[in-house]
Amino acid sequence: MKKAVLAALVAAASFQAVGSEYVNDGWYIGADVIGTTFEADGIDSSPSATSGAIAVGYDFKLSDSVVLGIEAEYADYGKFDFDLPEGFIDGSLSVDKVSYDFRALSLYLKPKFFIGNSPVYVGALAGVGMYHATVDVPVNYSVSYAFDSTTTVRAEDQNETEFVCGLEAGYAFNSHLLLNVGYRMVNFKEFEHDTWYAGLDYKF
């Protein structure tokens, strides 16, 4: 009986140590799989893509259960084709979509609150993202009164800096490896951008 009680206490202590062990200062790197959906004003289509992101950050211990991360992230969001409602036709030319290839460099503040002494945390995300979009316009042109040829025109690239916010939850396997899942959103001048992500962080 005493051995069973002792074993239970040891197991409980080990479980509690996981959370407190992770709540400390330190550098980390991370990699995420991201799924993104864009919506544009006046356009019915909501294109989506799955891609990836990498990050580097530093955690500051604020208390026994709270850390504040400062993180820099580079994300390649992928290519998104926005269908025009009825296309645009001008003589022998027609345009029925515009393609955007989005990338971003972002800086986040990421507070994490570990629940009790468990390895589970909930957190938030806030920061700024510097977004770059390469814009391509596939133009269809007619030969003998039929739109049977296409050429791609590179439009002027777009840059925009916007506020980013989101929520995150995660699980610390040990003092080095952390699983995270989350959601973040951005409102651009012409788009609304929603991203779900899941990944791993490695803390040194």
Side-chain angles (χ1 to χ4, degrees):
M1 181 65 178
K2 291 181 179 180
K3 290 182 179 180
V5 173
L6 181 60
L9 291 174
V10 170
S14 300
F15 178 78
Q16 292 175 356
V18 175
S20 60
E21 184 182 5
Y22 188 80
V23 182
N24 51 29
D25 298 331
W27 289 97
Y28 66 89
I29 57 174
D32 295 332
V33 175
I34 58 177
T36 303
T37 301
F38 275 87
E39 295 182 359
D41 295 337
I43 297 179
D44 293 334
S45 62
S46 300
S48 61
T50 301
S51 52
I54 55 175
V56 59
Y58 190 88
D59 276 339
F60 295 90
K61 179 180 177 180
L62 302 184
S63 71
D64 290 338
S65 59
V66 178
V67 295
L68 175 64
I70 298 179
E71 179 178 295
E73 178 197 68
Y74 175 78
D76 184 347
Y77 287 96
K79 187 176 181 180
F80 302 85
D81 294 332
F82 292 91
D83 296 326
L84 300 181
E86 296 180 357
F88 172 75
I89 298 177
D90 181 14
S92 61
L93 303 178
S94 73
V95 177
D96 54 16
K97 69 179 180 179
V98 179
S99 297
Y100 288 79
D101 191 350
F102 278 95
R103 297 172 295 279
L105 180 63
S106 304
L107 183 64
Y108 303 131
L109 292 176
K110 300 179 72 174
K112 304 180 184 73
F113 172 72
F114 282 80
I115 301 172
N117 289 320
S118 79
V120 177
Y121 79 85
V122 293
L125 176 153
V128 292
M130 293 167 283
Y131 292 83
H132 175 81
T134 300
V135 186
D136 291 330
V137 183
V139 178
N140 307 306
Y141 60 95
S142 64
V143 178
S144 301
Y145 304 100
F147 289 104
D148 55 5
S149 297
T150 301
T151 186
T152 298
V153 177
R154 174 61 52 85
E156 182 179 355
D157 289 354
Q158 298 180 5
N159 295 285
E160 194 168 333
T161 300
E162 294 291 348
F163 175 72
V164 186
C165 61
L167 298 173
E168 186 175 290
Y171 181 90
F173 294 104
N174 51 48
S175 60
H176 298 292
L177 191 61
L178 180 75
L179 172 69
N180 61 72
V181 294
Y183 165 84
R184 60 178 181 258
M185 66 172 294
V186 182
N187 283 321
F188 296 106
K189 295 176 182 177
E190 299 178 355
F191 305 101
E192 180 179 309
H193 157 250
D194 299 297
T195 297
W196 292 94
Y197 61 92
L200 291 171
D201 292 341
Y202 180 83
K203 192 168 186 178
F204 297 96

